Amino acid sequence: MNIEAYSRRTYNKIYTSMNFYAPFIFEKIGEIENPVFMETSEHLRKPDLNAEWKPLSGGQKWGGEWDNMWIRGTVTVPESAAGRKLYALPKANAVEILCFRNNIPCGIINSKNNFLGGNHCEMFITADAKPGDKFDIALECYAGHFCAGTSPFDSYGRNNPGAHDFDRTFESVDICVMNEEMKDFLFDLRTVLQLARVLGDNNALKYKARAAIDAMFPDFIQDPLQYDMDAIMASVKKCRAHLAPVLEKTQSTKAFGTVGIIGHSHMDTAWLWPVSETIRKCARTYSKVLDLMDQYPEYTFIQSSALHSSWMKDYYPDIFEKIKQRVAEKRYEPNGGVWVECDCNITSGELMVRQFLY
């Protein structure tokens, strides 16, 4: 029992430390050039090049419920990024951001999340940066709106949001390259930790994972903020060597089977926001899916509401054309046979039959 308690404390320490490591995945090499901004409560679908744009710098205040700040600027690839993956990391304090690369939607950013959490914190620019290449960047940053929640008494004692809840402050749009070894280490470590914690007691892989963590821990820097990058990366290399045997693909699929994984996002057509916001949420999601397909040739996706494809055709034709391309490649599957994806616990049988029929 004492050993188990010790293991839990060790794993908790490692999980906490991983949050300190996450910012090292991206190395800042510059900032967006000539940034300008404008504010609007409208959903513009594309940057309005004829609007009145103002110079943008760190500390700029923006926001208000339902409001958006558009950011524009350029990226010129420096010599230091040659041959590497290039990213933009906006620090705009937005709830969500729809990204545009050369005026084409290319993904979503949740500013409050980080790469390690499996969420979207970065805008992918190019996989093979070539010095001197230029990219036009635009970001539609959303300040947010009040959500009462989905359960009774979620907003108990507070009928309305405070006026300051949607006040935002822009910091910067950082241009970064990825530290691939750091990223791989953190995902390896998280995988081995999960094996050590969640597998059953009769599973040999659980104890192999625990032994690897015990062997790794003396070489693991718990507070990387106190060390220089050379020392951190030396530790990372040693730790990855301890973890590698656990992640080797040595077992037969006949004994353990295979798992097939396909991407999906349940899009609520009507929930805690108006339809105009749902359209934009679809654009953020599907443009990110298409961007991931550019980065990962093995990635596939299933979409389960025909209405959302129709919206892309009407409001974001660039996204719709890319969807058509990926459908033809059998990587993007429109599925479900319904116009609007329904919550089957509340709809009637006749409604569902009519959906499938029509």
Side-chain angles (χ1 to χ4, degrees):
M1 193 66 179
N2 290 335
I3 295 176
E4 184 63 29
Y6 170 80
S7 295
R8 284 199 302 270
R9 288 196 296 269
T10 301
Y11 301 156
N12 289 338
K13 289 178 182 178
I14 295 173
Y15 268 111
T16 300
S17 295
M18 289 172 70
N19 292 319
F20 298 123
Y21 276 86
F24 291 111
I25 292 176
F26 294 102
E27 303 172 7
K28 180 177 177 179
I29 59 173
E31 295 187 9
I32 194 171
E33 303 163 30
N34 305 313
V36 292
F37 81 103
M38 60 163 288
E39 293 189 68
T40 178
S41 58
E42 296 182 48
H43 296 177
L44 299 179
R45 312 306 178 193
K46 274 194 173 185
D48 183 358
L49 303 182
N50 297 317
E52 182 181 351
W53 296 81
K54 304 174 184 177
L56 178 62
S57 58
Q60 175 66 49
K61 303 294 184 183
W62 69 281
E65 190 173 14
W66 303 106
D67 285 348
N68 311 287
M69 177 176 73
W70 280 83
I71 301 171
R72 287 176 52 218
T74 58
V75 175
T76 304
V77 179
E79 289 287 345
S80 59
R84 303 182 68 178
K85 296 177 182 177
L86 196 66
Y87 300 84
L89 270 69
K91 298 177 181 177
N93 195 25
V95 173
E96 290 185 330
I97 299 174
L98 176 57
C99 305
F100 292 77
R101 181 179 56 242
N102 295 335
N103 219 32
I104 303 295
C106 64
I108 180 176
I109 290 176
N110 298 113
S111 296
K112 60 182 179 292
N113 297 319
N114 61 55
F115 191 89
L116 185 59
N119 299 299
H120 309 297
C121 69
E122 85 295 344
M123 172 186 172
F124 178 69
I125 298 177
T126 181
D128 183 16
K130 294 178 173 56
D133 279 0
K134 291 184 180 293
F135 298 88
D136 292 322
I137 303 298
L139 306 167
E140 183 188 32
C141 307
Y142 182 46
H145 63 271
F146 176 59
C147 292
T150 57
S151 301
F153 311 114
D154 269 4
S155 57
Y156 180 75
R158 182 167 179 244
N159 293 325
N160 295 297
H164 64 279
D165 284 7
F166 308 103
D167 292 344
R168 309 294 180 183
T169 303
F170 168 83
E171 294 181 34
S172 63
V173 179
D174 296 342
I175 306 304
C176 305
V177 291
M178 180 180 286
N179 184 328
E180 299 277 357
E181 186 161 22
M182 178 65 74
K183 181 260 295 181
D184 290 343
F185 164 62
L186 291 175
F187 279 94
D188 286 353
L189 179 55
R190 189 171 68 168
T191 301
V192 175
L193 277 171
Q194 289 175 338
L195 295 173
R197 299 181 83 168
V198 306
L199 290 179
D201 291 339
N202 61 345
N203 193 308
L205 189 57
K206 174 177 184 173
Y207 299 100
K208 187 175 182 179
R210 290 190 165 202
I213 293 172
D214 289 342
M216 178 207 80
F217 196 64
D219 292 321
F220 180 65
I221 295 177
Q222 295 185 52
D223 186 2
L225 302 181
Q226 304 301 319
Y227 292 79
D228 62 34
M229 207 58 199
D230 289 340
I232 293 171
M233 294 310 300
S235 170
V236 165
K237 291 179 186 295
K238 292 179 181 178
C239 290
R240 289 198 75 193
H242 292 298
L243 300 175
V246 184
L247 301 171
E248 289 176 350
K249 191 175 180 179
T250 57
Q251 303 296 339
S252 169
T253 56
K254 292 182 180 180
F256 292 94
T258 59
V259 176
I261 300 174
I262 183 169
H264 173 67
S265 181
H266 176 90
M267 301 300 297
D268 290 290
T269 303
W271 192 41
L272 297 178
W273 44 76
V275 167
S276 59
E277 180 63 18
T278 311
I279 295 171
R280 189 162 60 168
K281 284 183 174 289
C282 288
R284 297 183 189 122
T285 299
Y286 302 148
S287 64
K288 185 63 178 181
V289 165
L290 296 166
D291 192 55
L292 289 172
M293 288 182 175
D294 289 338
Q295 297 181 59
Y296 305 100
E298 71 279 12
Y299 179 64
T300 56
F301 184 79
I302 187 168
Q303 178 192 328
S304 49
S305 181
L307 169 62
H308 301 156
S309 294
S310 179
W311 280 344
M312 296 303 96
K313 181 179 180 181
D314 292 341
Y315 297 101
Y316 293 93
D318 291 324
I319 295 176
F320 185 72
E321 288 302 316
K322 283 196 170 185
I323 288 175
K324 286 169 58 179
Q325 175 190 340
R326 296 307 187 186
V327 169
E329 296 171 359
K330 302 186 184 303
R331 295 179 61 194
Y332 192 115
E333 182 181 346
N335 179 271
V338 292
W339 185 245
V340 178
E341 186 174 16
C342 43
D343 287 317
C344 298
N345 60 321
I346 57 176
T347 52
S348 70
E350 181 177 354
L351 183 146
M352 294 184 68
V353 168
R354 288 178 182 272
Q355 285 257 19
F356 285 109
L357 176 63
Y358 292 126

